[in-house]
């Protein structure tokens, strides 16, 4: 197992290129299963999660080539409609094969995802959506079996605008007979891009970026070519580092995907300058405490909550961070406290008494964004920090240590 060794408090200066978005590309890869031919996706980040999804596509029978960020998926050879436990347990996004395989082949068997590091993360909305479209959905020996050779358009209203359920149900509905309407749909940029891709493939989806998606079913979809949007969470992680240590320019970013974060960074005192697909951030001399409550897009993303807490440890006063999306996603808190932070947790609310000097220590990461938070903590702390179990970070960030090193950070990957 690898760990990061970080010597903190080095200034970050220069430019960093942001990769394609993990949470956009994963459903796009499964959308390719809807077409009988070769789909090409550009700017695909080389992550453990994209590699896991490639394995899953190969298991169902697709031909996959991945070179230099270009992914070719030949879904003309798909025959095995099963997503096995071994893969689904390592990556919940594997569940995204359900919609497309059910839609195109009328049958699919997907291992039921278990809990994850921060709680139960159910899939009931996904299953409710498939049932509304007319699928017969059963749980058998840990697997969800969904079948329905003639799915029919339906009105589906989610209790909460779930990203995964919206994407999955849209992918099942594009080939259903008649029109489906999804109310309380997710509006995340990842879902907008998925719908844009499906429309390029011949689907008829309207209402993109709103809470109501209307999907007129079509007979078949054809393959397409598309470039993945920039990863707003990777970008946000670098911006948060920049607010304490930096004078950095991010290339390949979309500021309108990051507005809630940019507003909060300015409140903290950082200077932000946006120009086309670049964002420049200059650190604040004194980071002011700024409260944050996570919410669905365009609110402050839960995927940046852990990194924001690391930033607030450096602020000149008390701040309160509330996660309304995932109530238990705080495994980074006790680890940041090991670095000398003063954070208390009550249910889904973290209170940070900022201004304590962070001091390097050995800490352990438990999920992708907690790892990012601990790396930020290490970069901001005095002395040496070791972050163990960094395989989590490799799920969602492309060689994050190389990107930080190029900006002047002292961070090395070592085996434990
Ligand atoms: N929910 C249900 N039932 C469902 C589905 C969701 O109750 O059937 C609840 C969840 O428990 C949660 C809320 O709805 O409280 C939102 O969950 P959502 O379905 O939107 O999350 P997801 O699709 O499972 C994606 C990202 C996550 C990100 C969330 C929220 C991917 C592959 N994953 O998960 O990303 O945190 O949306 O924005 O897109 C990450 O990248 O580190 C990550 C965890």
């Amino acid at each position: 197992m690898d760990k990061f060794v970080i010597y903190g408090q080095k200034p970050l200066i220069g430019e960093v290129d942001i990769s394609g978005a993990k949470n956009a590309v994963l459903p796009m890869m499964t959308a390719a299963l809807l077409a009988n031919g070769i789909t090409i996706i550009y700017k695909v980040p080389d992550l453990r999660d994209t590699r896991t999804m490639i394995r899953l596509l190969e298991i169902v029978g697709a031909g996959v080539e991945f070179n230099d960020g270009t992914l070719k998926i030949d879904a003309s050879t798909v025959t095995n409609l099963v997503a096995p436990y071994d893969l689904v347990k390592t990556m919940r996004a594997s569940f995204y094969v359900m919609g497309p395989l059910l839609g195109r082949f009328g049958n699919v068997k997907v291992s039921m995802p278990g809990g994850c590091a921060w709680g139960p993360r159910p899939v009931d909305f996904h299953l409710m959506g498939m049932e509304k479209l007319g699928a017969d959905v059963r749980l058998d020996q840990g697997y969800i079996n969904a079948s329905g050779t003639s799915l029919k358009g339906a009105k589906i209203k989610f209790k909460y605008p779930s990203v995964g359920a919206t994407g999955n149900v849209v992918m099942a509905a594009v080939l259903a007979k008649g029109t489906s309407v999804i109310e309380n749909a997710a509006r995340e940029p990842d879902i907008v891009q998925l719908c844009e891709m499906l429309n390029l493939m011949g689907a008829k989806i309207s209402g993109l970026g709103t809470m109501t998606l209307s999907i007129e079913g079509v007979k078949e979809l054809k393959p397409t070519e598309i470039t993945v949007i920039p990863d707003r969470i990777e970008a946000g992680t670098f911006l948060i580092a920049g607010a304490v240590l930096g004078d950095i320019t991010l290339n390949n970013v979309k500021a309108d995907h990051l507005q809630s974060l940019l507003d909060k960074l300015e409140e903290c005192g950082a200077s932000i300058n946006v120009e086309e697909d670049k964002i420049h951030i200059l650190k604040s001399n004194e980071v002011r405490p700024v409260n944050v409550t996570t919410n669905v897009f365009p609110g402050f993303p839960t995927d940046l909550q852990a990194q924001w807490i690391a930033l607030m440890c450096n602020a000149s006063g008390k701040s309160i961070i509330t996660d309304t999306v995932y109530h238990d996603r705080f495994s980074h808190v006790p680890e940041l406290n090991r670095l000398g932070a003063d954070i208390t947790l009550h249910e889904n609310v973290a209170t940070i008494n900022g201004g304590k000097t962070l001091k390097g220590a050995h800490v352990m990461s438990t999920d992708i964004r907690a790892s990012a938070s601990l790396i930020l903590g290490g970069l901001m702390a005095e002395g040496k920090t070791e972050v163990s179990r960094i395989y989590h970070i490799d799920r969602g960030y492309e060689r994050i240590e190389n990107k930080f090193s190029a900006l002047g950070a002292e961070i090395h990957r070592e085996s434990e």
Side-chain angles (χ1 to χ4, degrees):
M1 249 192 273
D2 288 350
K3 65 177 178 187
F4 283 140
V5 177
I6 302 169
Y7 292 90
Q9 297 194 334
K10 304 283 184 287
L12 302 175
I13 299 166
E15 298 191 11
V16 57
D17 294 335
I18 298 305
S19 301
K22 169 181 85 80
N23 289 346
V25 77
L26 294 172
M28 289 163 77
M29 289 167 75
T30 67
L33 295 173
L34 282 159
N36 184 8
I38 301 175
T39 294
I40 306 180
I41 310 179
Y42 302 104
K43 241 184 181 319
V44 173
D46 192 355
L47 306 169
R48 262 167 54 108
D49 275 11
T50 39
R51 295 275 172 182
T52 304
M53 189 59 92
I54 288 173
R55 283 222 310 283
L56 181 52
L57 296 179
E58 286 171 341
I59 284 173
V60 300
V64 185
E65 277 177 39
F66 185 33
N67 288 310
D68 266 349
T70 297
L71 185 65
K72 293 186 182 166
I73 302 166
D74 180 357
S76 62
T77 48
V78 171
T79 46
N80 176 32
L81 307 176
V82 182
Y85 175 64
D86 280 354
L87 284 188
V88 181
K89 76 169 187 225
T90 60
M91 186 184 70
R92 296 175 55 83
S94 314
F95 211 67
Y96 271 132
V97 296
M98 172 170 275
L101 291 182
L102 177 65
R104 180 168 161 208
F105 299 100
N107 196 9
V108 65
K109 183 172 166 183
V110 185
S111 174
M112 172 96 167
C116 82
W118 69 83
R121 294 186 75 188
V123 287
D124 51 330
F125 303 162
H126 301 238
L127 304 184
M128 175 276 284
M130 303 301 165
E131 279 177 338
K132 288 258 172 178
L133 293 173
D136 178 39
V137 178
R138 289 163 202 244
L139 175 69
D140 183 28
Q141 298 188 330
Y143 279 79
I144 305 284
N145 292 294
S147 56
T149 40
S150 53
L151 298 185
K152 285 198 182 62
K155 185 169 157 188
I156 295 154
K157 185 169 182 173
F158 291 128
K159 264 196 258 163
Y160 188 90
S162 154
V163 174
T166 303
N168 227 345
V169 172
V170 168
M171 288 191 278
V174 282
L175 292 177
K177 282 198 192 82
T179 301
S180 301
V181 176
I182 303 183
E183 288 180 6
N184 213 13
R187 291 184 288 164
E188 269 64 10
D190 316 292
I191 293 299
V192 173
Q193 185 168 45
L194 173 68
C195 293
E196 282 169 357
M197 174 177 174
L198 292 165
N199 280 346
L200 285 173
M201 295 169 78
K204 291 190 176 159
I205 309 170
S206 57
L208 278 66
T210 75
M211 296 183 87
T212 306
L213 291 172
S214 177
I215 306 145
E216 202 184 309
V218 295
K219 281 228 164 67
E220 60 171 14
L221 296 185
K222 54 185 190 315
T224 191
E225 295 188 21
I226 187 162
T227 301
V228 183
I229 53 171
D231 195 311
R232 65 199 163 102
I233 306 302
E234 186 200 21
T237 304
F238 279 93
L239 287 169
I240 289 172
V244 176
L245 299 164
D247 179 354
I248 58 182
T249 301
L250 277 63
N251 300 321
N252 184 42
V253 269
K254 279 190 179 291
D256 54 336
H257 291 175
L258 281 159
Q259 203 51 56
S260 58
L261 173 69
L262 297 178
D263 292 346
K264 292 288 178 184
L265 286 168
E266 284 188 324
E267 265 185 68
C268 282
S271 308
I272 308 269
N273 194 21
V274 176
E275 226 173 88
E276 292 179 6
D277 66 344
K278 294 179 192 294
I279 301 177
H280 175 258
I281 182 159
L282 182 63
K283 72 178 171 127
S284 168
N285 288 333
E286 180 192 307
V287 177
R288 290 192 285 269
V290 176
N291 299 342
V292 152
T293 298
T294 67
N295 211 334
V296 295
F297 189 83
F300 192 97
T302 172
D303 289 344
L304 287 172
Q305 175 259 104
Q307 299 89 317
W308 191 262
I309 289 186
L311 173 62
M312 286 301 102
C313 295
N314 290 271
S316 56
K318 180 173 141 184
S319 58
I320 294 172
I321 315 302
T322 308
D323 199 324
T324 68
V325 182
Y326 291 116
H327 289 204
D328 301 322
R329 193 181 199 181
F330 288 100
S331 61
H332 41 288
V333 164
E335 299 299 303
L336 287 170
N337 282 343
R338 286 180 55 73
L339 295 177
D342 177 359
I343 312 169
T344 49
L345 196 56
H346 183 64
E347 295 178 350
N348 62 334
V349 181
T351 303
I352 301 130
N353 286 308
K356 309 275 181 298
T357 307
L358 297 185
K359 295 209 169 76
H362 198 147
V363 289
M364 195 171 77
S365 65
T366 43
D367 76 75
I368 308 174
R369 310 304 171 188
S371 310
S373 165
L374 297 178
I375 291 170
L376 294 181
L379 293 172
M380 294 166 185
E382 268 177 22
K384 178 178 173 185
T385 295
E386 293 183 43
V387 184
S388 297
R389 301 204 178 167
I390 56 169
Y391 55 86
H392 292 290
I393 198 101
D394 294 331
R395 290 188 52 191
Y397 291 79
E398 243 182 338
R399 282 276 164 183
I400 193 169
E401 73 277 28
N402 292 357
K403 293 192 183 188
F404 272 122
S405 296
L407 293 172
E410 211 175 320
I411 171 167
H412 311 282
R413 184 182 290 254
E414 290 180 9
S415 52
E416 283 195 277

